[in-house]
Amino acid sequence: MDTVCSINNLARCLVEGGFSPDLANLLTLLGGVVLVATIPLVTVIFLIWIERKVAARVQDRLGPNRVGPVGLLQTVADALKMLTKEDITPTGADKFIYNLAPVIAFATVILMWAVVPFTPLHIGADVGIGVLYFMAVASIGTVKIMVAGWSSNNKYALLGAFRTIAQLLSYEVPLVLSLLIPVMLAGTMSLQGITEAQGGMWYLFIAPVAAFLFYVANLAETGRAPFDLLEAESEIIAGYNIEYSGFKWGMFMASEFLHAFTAALFFAIIFMGGWWGPFVQEVPLLGALYLVGKTAIVYVFGLVLRATVPRVRIDQLMALNWKFLVPLAIANVLVIAFLIQVLKALGLMPVPGADIIAHLPMTVVMLLGNLVIIAVAMQVLRNQGREEKMAQEARMAARQQRVVKEVRTPAGAPVGD
Amino acid sequence: MIPLWMYLVVAAGLFCIGTYGVLARRNAVAVLMGVELMLNAVNINLVGFWRYMNPLETNGQVFAAFIFVVAAAEAAIGLAIIISIYRNRRSVVVDDVDLLKW
Amino acid sequence: MLEFNASTVAFVVMTLFILGGALGVVTTRNLIHATLYLILSLFGVAGYFVLLSAPFLAAVQVLVYIGAIAILIVFAVMLTRSMTRMSEILNGQWLLSAIVGAGLFLLLVIGVILPTWGNGGLLDATVSAPSQVVIDTVDLGKALVDRNGFVLPFEVASLLLTAAMIGAIVIARDDTE
C-alpha cells in the first residue's frame, strides 16, 4: 500500500503514527464531521451571491459588484454588518426556545449533508436508509418553524408558522411518493447505491414525472418561488421569523438558502446520477466536481424560475398539492411499479452495472409509461380548466345582468313589485 | 457493547414516568403525551429484545413498526377527540369530561 | 463494566435525553415546553434504535413522531390555548400516581436485574456478545409483504390508518360551518 497519508487512509496513518486504534477512529470521524459540516457553511456565502447575481441579470441589472472581485465578498460584508446589529429579543418571548430555533434551523440542513455521496469513495456516512434519513431530517424542519413562530410572542409570527407548517406537511406527501420511484428502481435506499445504479442511465430520463414531482415538492418544502409564501417579501415582510433580527435572522436566511441548495444537491444525486461522469472510476475526486456541476445547473434553474414566475395564493398552493400533485404521485407509483414488474417478466431489466445500451429498452418503456401519465394528467387539467373557465364566465354573465338591471332601476326609485 | 439490561432499565423508567404522566396530569393533551412515552418505552423493549435475542428474525422490528402505526392513529384520533371536547365544553381537563358519570 | 467508546458515550447522552425529556414532559407547567421535552425524549429513543442497529426504525421514529405526532400535539395545544396555563397541572391523585409509578419501576427493575444477577443468568449469557449479523431494511420490507410473514397485519394496519384518518376528520370537523 502507499505510504502517503491522505484523506483515504487517515485512520491507518494515525495508528502507524502511534495513536490507539479507537482514538484514531474517533479522530477520523470527528475530522470527517467537521469537514462535511464546513463545506455547506462555506457554500452559503456563494449561494447568496449567485442568487443576487442571477436575479439581477434576469431583471437587467448588474447586481453586487463593489466588494471584492465581481462582488464576491458582498455576502461577507453583509454578514459582518449583521453581526454588529442589535440583537433584539421581544418582550414576553420564550428566551431559551427563541434562541434555540435558529440553531435547529441550521443544524437540520447541515445534518442532511452527512449522507451526501460526494465521490464513489467519499461519503460522510453511507447509511442503508439514506433517502429516509433525508426525509426524516427534513421533517425536523417543521419543528424549528413552530418553535420560532410560537416563542416570538407575536401573533403574526404564529400565523405565519401555521401557514408554513400546513404547506410543509402537505408537500411532504408527494415528496415521499416521488422518492419511492428511485428506491424501487435501484432496489436500495442508500444514496450511494442509488447513485451507482444510475451508471447506465439517469433516473431523470427513466422517471421524469417522479423527477418533476420531487423538484416541485422540494421547491415548496424549501419555500422557494413560486411557493415562497412563508416569506413573500413583497406582501408580508416575513412569516414565522418576523421578530428575529441581527445574526439570528441571518442564520434563518442562510439556512433557507442552504436548504434550497441541498434540495438541488439531492435532486442531482437521486435523479441526475450524482458523481457519475467521464473517467470518474479512474479519478474518484472528479466525481465531486460533476456533482457540484449538476447541482449548480439545478440550482440556477431554480433561481431563474424564482425571478420569472409570480407567487401562488395559499388556496392555489393547497389545491395544487392535494388535487394535482398527490394523485399524480400515487398514479405514478402504481404505473412505475407495474412497469418494473412487466420489464422483469420480459427480462428487459438491465443488470446492475450495465452500460447505456443495455438500459435503452427499459428507458424507452419507462418513458412511454411516463408520457401516458403526463398525457392523462394534462387532459384532466385541461377539462378542469375548461370547467372552471365556463363557471367563471357564467358568473360574470350573471353579474353583468345584475348590473344592467340595477342601472335600469335607478337607486331610490320604488321598485315595482 | 452495552448490555441489554441497561436498555430495559431505561425503558422501564420511561414507562413509569409515562404512567405517572397519564395518571397525574389534568390536561388531556399532557395525558396523551404520557401515553406516547409509554408506547416508546415498549418500543425500546421490543427492539432491544430483537437485537439481543434473535437479530436474524424480523419479528421485533415489525412489531415496533406496527406500534408506530398504532401510535400515529392514536395521536390523530386522540387529538381530534380533545379538540372536539374543547369545542363543546371549553375545557380540556380530563376530570371535567364526566357526562357519562353520575 | 462498560468500556469507554463512542457507542457508550452515545448511550449515556441518549439516556439523558430520554429520561430528562420524559421528566420534563410530566412536570412542566407550559404545555409547549412539555411538547419540546417530548421531542427530546423521542429523539433519544431514535438514538437508541441506531445503537441497536435498527436505522430504519430510527428514521421512521423521527419522521413519524417528531415530524408528525409532535407537530400535531403542538397544534392541539395551540387550538386549546386558553388551557395551556392552568394554575393546577396535577390532579388530586398525583401522590398516589407517583407512588404507583415508583412502585412499578421498582418491580420492573427487580424483574430485569434478577435474572441477570450473578453469572449464568438468562439475559447475561446471551447478552454479553450479541451477534454482529443483523437483518437489514430489505429483510424487514420483504417480511412485511411476505405471504408467510406479516402481510395480513400490514394490510390491517393500513386499514387502521385510513379509518383513523377519516375518523379524525369527522370528529374534529366543525359542523357549524
Side-chain angles (χ1 to χ4, degrees):
Chain A
M1 293 293 263
D2 54 350
T3 49
V4 186
C5 278
S6 75
I7 190 165
N8 296 328
N9 56 357
L10 192 62
R12 199 157 44 80
C13 268
L14 283 176
V15 173
E16 279 164 11
F19 283 91
S20 77
D22 269 354
L23 191 64
N25 265 333
L26 195 67
L27 281 179
T28 327
L29 274 179
L30 276 180
V33 167
V34 170
L35 185 70
V36 171
T38 314
I39 296 169
L41 289 177
V42 177
T43 317
V44 84
I45 294 174
F46 297 100
L47 290 184
I48 299 175
W49 174 78
I50 194 137
E51 170 114 19
R52 296 178 63 177
K53 272 289 187 196
V54 170
R57 282 302 173 189
V58 172
Q59 295 155 3
D60 203 10
R61 294 182 287 119
L62 279 178
N65 62 350
R66 295 285 150 181
V67 191
V70 288
L72 256 177
L73 295 179
Q74 180 68 45
T75 315
V76 180
D78 285 347
L80 280 177
K81 184 197 77 176
M82 236 171 333
L83 268 174
T84 61
K85 289 280 178 187
E86 188 187 356
D87 185 29
I88 302 167
T89 307
T91 14
D94 206 313
K95 258 210 182 98
F96 179 68
I97 300 181
Y98 180 81
N99 291 328
L100 188 67
V103 181
I104 301 179
F106 221 98
T108 49
V109 179
I110 289 183
L111 272 178
M112 287 181 197
W113 286 66
V115 293
V116 171
F118 291 104
T119 74
L121 299 177
H122 302 105
I123 175 166
D126 186 16
V127 289
I129 46 144
V131 171
L132 203 62
Y133 174 89
F134 166 67
M135 280 311 303
V137 173
S139 76
I140 303 181
T142 48
V143 173
K144 93 194 172 201
I145 289 164
M146 198 77 250
V147 160
W150 178 77
S151 66
S152 303
N153 192 32
N154 177 329
K155 29 174 115 57
Y156 297 109
L158 193 56
L159 277 177
F162 273 136
R163 276 163 53 125
T164 312
I165 286 188
Q167 174 181 345
L168 294 192
L169 286 186
S170 311
Y171 276 83
E172 251 174 39
V173 180
L175 190 62
V176 173
L177 287 175
S178 69
L179 276 176
L180 272 181
I181 309 290
V183 172
M184 280 198 292
L185 286 167
T188 172
M189 282 200 279
S190 145
L191 286 169
Q192 192 70 279
I194 288 179
T195 310
E196 274 162 12
Q198 292 179 74
M201 181 64 74
W202 291 0
Y203 287 160
L204 182 62
F205 301 118
I206 298 179
V209 175
F212 165 78
L213 286 169
F214 183 75
Y215 189 78
V216 173
N218 253 329
L219 278 184
E221 282 282 314
T222 55
R224 303 295 285 186
F227 305 113
D228 53 348
L229 295 135
L230 57 132
E231 197 184 330
E233 58 267 87
S234 53
E235 292 147 27
I236 56 180
I237 298 158
Y240 63 91
N241 55 359
I242 190 161
E243 286 287 357
Y244 284 85
S245 60
F247 202 64
K248 279 181 261 176
W249 177 82
M251 279 178 85
F252 271 119
M253 250 357 244
S255 78
E256 257 167 44
F257 280 112
L258 199 55
H259 195 179
F261 185 74
T262 313
L265 184 68
F266 275 86
F267 187 89
I269 293 168
I270 296 172
F271 288 103
M272 293 171 73
W275 41 254
W276 276 105
F279 305 115
V280 77
Q281 303 289 30
E282 287 80 31
V283 192
L285 273 178
L286 267 179
L289 211 62
Y290 293 134
L291 182 60
V292 169
K294 289 168 184 175
T295 310
I297 293 171
V298 180
Y299 187 69
V300 171
F301 179 74
L303 296 185
V304 176
L305 201 67
R306 171 175 186 255
T308 38
V309 291
R311 189 172 297 128
V312 296
R313 285 197 317 263
I314 183 92
D315 60 318
Q316 290 169 334
L317 179 90
M318 287 299 163
L320 174 72
N321 181 49
W322 293 110
K323 293 183 187 164
F324 181 62
L325 292 182
V326 172
L328 182 63
I330 293 172
N332 189 31
V333 169
L334 292 179
V335 171
I336 299 278
F338 177 72
L339 283 181
I340 288 177
Q341 289 307 321
V342 168
L343 284 169
K344 266 190 190 152
L346 292 177
L348 285 176
M349 211 59 181
V351 288
D355 59 349
I356 187 162
I357 308 293
H359 274 83
L360 271 182
M362 175 224 196
T363 311
V364 170
V365 173
M366 284 290 181
L367 260 182
L368 283 178
N370 274 290
L371 276 180
V372 170
I373 300 174
I374 294 170
V376 172
M378 283 296 167
Q379 193 59 40
V380 169
L381 272 188
R382 207 164 133 207
N383 288 346
Q384 206 176 357
R386 193 176 290 157
E387 263 169 40
E388 257 170 38
K389 199 178 162 200
M390 274 160 76
Q392 190 162 8
E393 272 170 2
R395 261 204 313 280
M396 290 297 277
R399 189 183 298 164
Q400 204 85 42
Q401 271 180 352
R402 221 170 32 245
V403 170
V404 169
K405 216 167 163 187
E406 275 165 15
V407 169
R408 281 201 189 133
T409 53
V415 182
D417 56 340
Chain B
M1 198 73 183
I2 299 128
L4 174 58
W5 65 268
M6 287 197 175
Y7 287 105
L8 297 185
V9 167
V10 174
L14 187 61
F15 189 85
C16 294
I17 294 171
T19 314
Y20 171 72
V22 170
L23 292 177
R25 291 293 291 243
R26 288 180 75 215
N27 194 313
V29 182
V31 172
L32 207 70
M33 286 191 221
V35 176
E36 297 295 345
L37 289 181
M38 291 165 81
L39 283 172
N40 269 279
V42 173
N43 252 354
I44 295 179
N45 266 13
L46 283 175
V47 179
F49 276 124
W50 160 77
R51 178 69 183 88
Y52 286 84
M53 290 307 187
N54 53 353
L56 294 175
E57 294 283 319
T58 49
N59 306 20
Q61 286 211 36
V62 170
F63 269 61
F66 283 134
I67 287 201
F68 285 137
V69 173
V70 173
E74 170 247 315
I77 293 284
L79 293 172
I81 291 174
I82 289 169
I83 286 171
S84 179
I85 289 173
Y86 178 74
R87 196 175 284 138
N88 289 325
R89 304 184 56 107
R90 292 279 129 201
S91 165
V92 288
V93 177
V94 188
D95 297 335
D96 289 357
V97 188
D98 52 0
L99 265 183
L100 284 178
K101 222 157 108 184
W102 49 277
Chain C
M1 208 51 197
L2 293 173
E3 73 253 52
F4 180 79
N5 58 21
S7 69
T8 313
V9 173
F11 179 80
V12 171
V13 172
M14 289 304 156
T15 306
L16 289 179
F17 277 10
I18 292 176
L19 293 183
L23 283 175
V25 170
V26 293
T27 54
T28 317
R29 186 165 294 275
N30 188 326
L31 271 182
I32 298 278
H33 287 183
T35 317
L36 293 176
Y37 278 122
L38 180 70
I39 290 175
L40 189 69
S41 189
L42 301 177
F43 192 76
V45 176
Y48 265 26
F49 289 164
V50 173
L51 284 175
L52 289 166
S53 41
F56 175 77
L57 290 183
V60 173
Q61 166 93 3
V62 173
L63 195 62
V64 170
Y65 269 109
I66 298 177
I69 293 181
I71 293 293
L72 261 186
I73 290 178
V74 173
F75 266 90
V77 169
M78 288 183 181
L79 288 174
T80 58
R81 196 136 75 115
S82 60
M83 308 301 293
T84 45
R85 284 172 201 279
M86 281 194 268
S87 52
E88 254 335 283
I89 62 160
L90 299 174
N91 56 22
Q93 58 187 19
W94 69 270
L95 196 62
L96 189 65
S97 314
I99 293 169
V100 167
L104 191 62
F105 181 64
L106 218 61
L107 206 65
L108 285 174
V109 168
I110 290 172
V112 167
I113 300 282
L114 210 55
T116 64
W117 207 255
N119 41 6
L122 167 69
L123 297 179
D124 210 25
T126 42
V127 158
S128 39
S131 100
Q132 293 302 308
V133 192
V134 183
I135 60 147
D136 60 0
T137 315
V138 177
D139 296 323
L140 180 62
K142 279 187 180 147
L144 276 175
V145 291
D146 187 9
R147 198 173 301 156
N148 302 317
F150 296 91
V151 68
L152 185 65
F154 182 73
E155 295 299 332
V156 172
S158 19
L159 199 65
L160 173 73
L161 273 183
T162 316
M165 185 174 76
I166 297 170
I169 293 171
V170 169
I171 294 171
R173 198 172 56 175
D174 202 350
D175 286 331
T176 51
E177 277 172 21

